[in-house]
Amino acid sequence: MKTSALQIARRATPLEQLSQAIQQGSEVSVKELESLLSLLMDKKRKMEQEEAESSLRIMLEFLQFLRKRKVEELNEVENDLQFIKEDISTVEKHRVELYRARHRYAAKMRMLVNYSSAVTVPPSLIDKQGSGIVSGSSISQQQGYAASDTSQNRKADARAPENVHRTDSDSQNSDQSGLATARKRHIYAQLDDIQGYYLQKRRHCTKQSHRQEERVANVINREGYCAELEDFQSVLSTFTQYSRLRVVAELRPVDLFHSANVVSSIEFDRDDEFFATAGVSRRIKVFDFSSVVNEPADAQRPVVEMSSRSKLSCLSWNKYAKNHIASSDYEGIVTIWDVSSRQSVVEYEEHEKRAWSVDFSHTDPSMLVSGSDDCKVKVWCTKQEASVISIDMKANICSVKYNPQSSFHIAVGSADNHIHYYDLRNIKQPLHIFCGHHKSVSYVKFLSNNELASASTDGTLRLWDVKENIPLRNYRGHTNEKNFVGLAVNSEYIACGSETNEVFVYHKAISKPAASHKFDSDQNDPDEDMGSHFISSVCWKRESPTILTANSQGIVQVLVLTA
């Protein structure tokens, strides 16, 4: 017990040893206790002081950091205000110049009208009732009457056109005012996104000018705009140009409630004269676009129909051979069809599972690429029977797309939630893998050779820069959790479907939808209450506000963006 007590005493801290000694009744004098108490009080005050200093130091560091951050924010706001003032001045100056130019043009037109009136040949002075010349007095008299009549007519004419002009002007001004109000309302609805895009552009312009001041003169155009401000003006103009989608034509299947009506793909041909649809019905139907738009709905019939052995997942027209179209199907077969003869030209059967996507090259009409559930991307040449390239991706392939300005670069959307960007001259590893989606990437489409849009079942669209390998923007507003709902792009806009049976259109610079349209519900549809219908495919008419859309009922609508 003594040994154990000794070991415990050795392991105890000095404070514990002192406490034990006092508790065990060790004899301590008053003087020793006072000295000990004094020592403890000094130690306590020192510790309290250190703790207070530490607390104050932490608070001071926090306040200094907060001040630095707020100063940076203040500087940023001051800089923002500065170039906002500069831009206001630039825009006002440009408006004044346009106003003056308009008035100079109006003055010039008035001068031309007055000049043409002054040189008009007067009526013939020859007396039509006789062959003689009218006497001088009668000439003077007639000239006096003519002058009087002309003066009166001019006064009347001066009054009448003024009233007519005022009426037309009022009507025109009213229309312009209504349009301007609608465009303002459209801006205020997306104010945060538009403000963010403007500030991003202008701050980038400021950074560029600071980095290389000699370039400042080069980034100012003849109107006094910097390149970024001009780009923002273009975005603002195109974004506010459209605010809704209007139906201009519709195709409906005979049996609206048949499960085989789902249109998996809809595509325009090379010249946007014809479009083709394909899907679960195992049929490719080709329609004349002008007939669909201009003729009654009950008179609409496909100009060509071609049958496939399996359900079809994707279509792609050849960008050079107008009568060739490629398809991919649920058996993994990639087929090239001749629309003129309504026969298949060649079939590629190397895929082991369902092929989801196929795409012809924009620059080489003999090359096409496909992707499948067998986790392989295959590149085909129409001059050969077997694939020329095969890439094993280790994940299901949902979408493949050629870069529009290259026959060597492809984008691949897969079930691993990523987009793989390949150079086909070196397929050992992708040029870049774009990460950001949280579920399978169902579609990839190029807006330009550098801009790539992607859609995912995580309910978002994303825009990427494949040159700088950076994300540009994220878009939300539609609903997409499990189905392929379509994706279509042009140079400025992105369109996609939704599982709410709606079509959404986004401007590429704004994260929220610019317009949307819901397919009409059918009161006799037993599944309508369940919300089972969704948009299954969309296609944009190149450089046009026209969109082809189709849903899971097989209804095809031609929509046009309007103000």
Side-chain angles (χ1 to χ4, degrees):
M1 289 177 63
K2 289 182 179 179
T3 303
S4 177
L6 182 61
Q7 290 176 352
I8 293 173
R10 286 176 179 175
R11 288 197 299 266
T13 63
L15 183 61
E16 290 174 343
Q17 292 177 1
L18 176 62
S19 177
Q20 288 176 3
I22 294 174
Q23 289 175 359
Q24 291 173 2
S26 298
E27 294 183 1
V28 183
S29 66
V30 174
K31 187 176 181 180
E32 289 175 337
L33 282 176
E34 287 180 352
S35 175
L36 183 59
L37 287 174
S38 176
L39 181 63
L40 290 174
M41 290 300 296
D42 290 342
K43 184 66 176 178
K44 179 184 176 184
R45 282 193 295 268
K46 183 179 179 182
M47 292 179 66
E48 288 177 344
Q49 183 178 358
E50 290 177 351
E51 185 177 351
E53 288 178 356
S54 176
S55 177
L56 289 174
R57 184 170 61 252
I58 292 173
M59 181 181 289
L60 181 61
E61 289 176 355
F62 165 75
L63 292 174
Q64 289 174 340
F65 172 78
L66 185 60
R67 181 183 64 180
K68 180 181 177 182
R69 186 172 179 180
K70 290 301 179 182
V71 167
E72 290 175 351
E73 291 178 359
L74 178 60
N75 291 336
E76 187 174 59
V77 170
E78 289 177 345
N79 291 333
D80 289 349
L81 285 174
Q82 182 60 33
F83 56 68
I84 288 172
K85 290 177 182 177
E86 293 173 358
D87 290 346
I88 289 174
S89 176
T90 300
V91 172
E92 287 181 342
K93 180 181 178 181
H94 188 46
R95 283 190 66 194
V96 170
E97 290 175 355
L98 290 176
Y99 179 80
R100 290 174 178 172
R102 182 160 61 98
H103 276 264
R104 285 196 299 268
Y105 176 76
K108 184 176 180 181
M109 293 302 296
R110 285 196 299 270
M111 289 177 61
L112 289 174
V113 170
N114 293 336
Y115 177 76
S116 61
S117 300
V119 299
T120 302
V121 179
S124 174
L125 300 180
I126 299 177
D127 187 4
K128 295 182 180 179
Q129 294 182 353
S131 58
I133 304 297
V134 182
S135 64
S137 61
S138 61
I139 291 176
S140 301
Q141 189 176 2
Q142 288 177 6
Q143 287 177 343
Y145 292 150
S148 176
D149 291 343
T150 302
S151 175
Q152 293 176 2
N153 289 338
R154 282 180 180 173
K155 290 179 181 179
D157 291 344
R159 290 192 297 270
E162 182 181 358
N163 294 332
V164 173
H165 177 70
R166 185 179 295 119
T167 303
D168 294 341
S169 177
D170 291 344
S171 176
Q172 184 178 4
N173 289 338
S174 176
D175 292 342
Q176 290 180 351
S177 176
L179 183 60
T181 301
R183 297 182 77 165
K184 289 178 183 177
R185 193 182 302 115
H186 203 33
I187 290 175
Y188 294 144
Q190 309 284 2
L191 187 60
D192 290 341
D193 280 345
I194 296 175
Q195 172 185 289
Y197 184 78
Y198 167 76
L199 294 177
Q200 175 189 356
K201 283 290 181 182
R202 291 301 279 117
R203 288 168 184 168
H204 179 266
C205 178
T206 304
K207 289 178 181 178
Q208 290 293 101
S209 62
H210 285 325
R211 289 176 185 172
Q212 196 172 355
E213 294 185 0
E214 60 270 18
R215 289 185 56 198
V216 173
N218 296 329
V219 298
I220 303 298
N221 65 12
R222 57 188 177 86
E223 284 88 8
Y225 285 21
C226 73
E228 283 74 10
L229 182 59
E230 189 172 19
D231 178 70
F232 174 74
Q233 181 184 359
S234 174
V235 167
L236 195 63
S237 177
T238 54
F239 175 73
T240 57
Q241 186 176 3
Y242 307 116
S243 60
R244 63 188 183 93
L245 288 162
R246 179 171 58 89
V247 180
V248 297
E250 183 178 83
L251 297 174
R252 282 179 173 258
V254 177
D255 184 359
L256 193 60
F257 308 125
H258 199 285
S259 60
N261 289 336
V262 179
V263 177
S264 303
S265 183
I266 184 167
E267 292 290 326
F268 271 108
D269 75 340
R270 180 193 66 187
D271 303 319
D272 291 339
E273 294 178 347
F274 298 90
F275 67 89
T277 65
V280 180
S281 65
R282 297 181 171 88
R283 302 183 69 81
I284 299 175
K285 299 180 181 180
V286 180
F287 296 87
D288 185 325
F289 178 72
S290 61
S291 298
V292 169
V293 172
N294 297 319
E295 293 182 3
D298 54 0
Q300 301 299 335
R301 295 291 184 273
V303 295
V304 173
E305 283 195 54
M306 298 174 289
S307 298
S308 171
R309 299 193 303 269
S310 180
K311 299 175 182 179
L312 297 163
S313 57
C314 185
L315 296 174
S316 176
W317 287 88
N318 191 296
K319 279 64 178 179
Y320 291 85
K322 184 178 176 67
N323 59 323
H324 282 181
I325 187 171
S327 68
S328 59
D329 65 31
Y330 281 38
E331 291 183 4
I333 301 173
V334 175
T335 307
I336 298 177
W337 304 82
D338 188 324
V339 176
S340 301
S341 64
R342 307 185 185 188
Q343 300 294 325
S344 63
V345 177
V346 61
E347 292 183 352
Y348 301 108
E349 301 184 11
E350 291 184 20
H351 283 301
E352 300 171 1
K353 294 183 179 180
R354 174 169 44 191
W356 281 115
S357 181
V358 64
D359 185 46
F360 265 112
S361 169
H362 289 250
T363 57
D364 188 342
S366 65
M367 304 300 296
L368 63 159
V369 62
S370 62
S372 165
D373 273 342
D374 63 6
C375 306
K376 290 183 175 61
V377 174
K378 290 185 177 289
V379 179
W380 315 90
C381 179
T382 56
K383 302 173 184 177
Q384 300 183 28
E385 295 182 357
S387 62
V388 294
I389 296 175
S390 181
I391 305 173
D392 192 347
M393 296 280 293
K394 311 298 182 184
N396 297 44
I397 309 303
C398 302
S399 180
V400 291
K401 206 71 180 173
Y402 267 104
N403 188 306
Q405 295 187 14
S406 171
S407 59
F408 301 113
H409 295 89
I410 63 168
V412 182
S414 71
D416 65 359
N417 308 346
H418 303 326
I419 300 144
H420 302 255
Y421 190 53
Y422 276 96
D423 185 334
L424 296 177
R425 293 167 293 190
N426 181 12
I427 61 172
K428 291 182 179 180
Q429 60 183 9
L431 290 175
H432 192 75
I433 299 177
F434 295 95
C435 306
H437 285 297
H438 305 300
K439 289 186 179 181
S440 299
V441 178
S442 49
Y443 295 97
V444 287
K445 294 288 180 72
F446 283 92
L447 284 78
S448 66
N449 61 322
N450 292 332
E451 295 173 309
L452 176 68
S454 62
S456 169
T457 50
D458 63 7
T460 67
L461 307 179
R462 290 179 182 266
L463 186 65
W464 315 86
D465 188 325
V466 298
K467 183 178 180 181
E468 301 295 334
N469 297 332
I470 56 173
L472 297 176
R473 194 153 283 103
N474 188 13
Y475 308 90
R476 288 183 179 274
H478 61 287
T479 301
N480 184 200
E481 296 179 355
K482 59 182 180 178
N483 296 300
F484 285 79
V485 295
L487 179 69
V489 299
N490 64 14
S491 59
E492 295 291 334
Y493 284 92
I494 303 172
C496 72
S498 175
E499 287 163 359
T500 56
N501 211 21
E502 293 175 277
V503 179
F504 287 82
V505 175
Y506 299 86
H507 190 282
K508 68 178 184 180
I510 308 299
S511 299
K512 296 179 182 178
S516 64
H517 165 74
K518 187 176 180 65
F519 274 46
D520 293 334
S521 59
D522 196 304
Q523 300 298 328
N524 299 318
D525 186 357
D527 295 331
E528 184 61 35
D529 294 337
M530 299 171 60
S532 60
H533 301 312
F534 60 93
I535 302 301
S536 53
S537 57
V538 292
C539 178
W540 213 294
K541 194 170 185 283
R542 280 178 287 273
E543 304 308 321
S544 163
T546 303
I547 310 171
L548 292 176
T549 60
N551 76 344
S552 55
Q553 290 178 286
I555 301 173
V556 177
Q557 289 187 347
V558 182
L559 306 177
V560 175
L561 277 170
T562 59

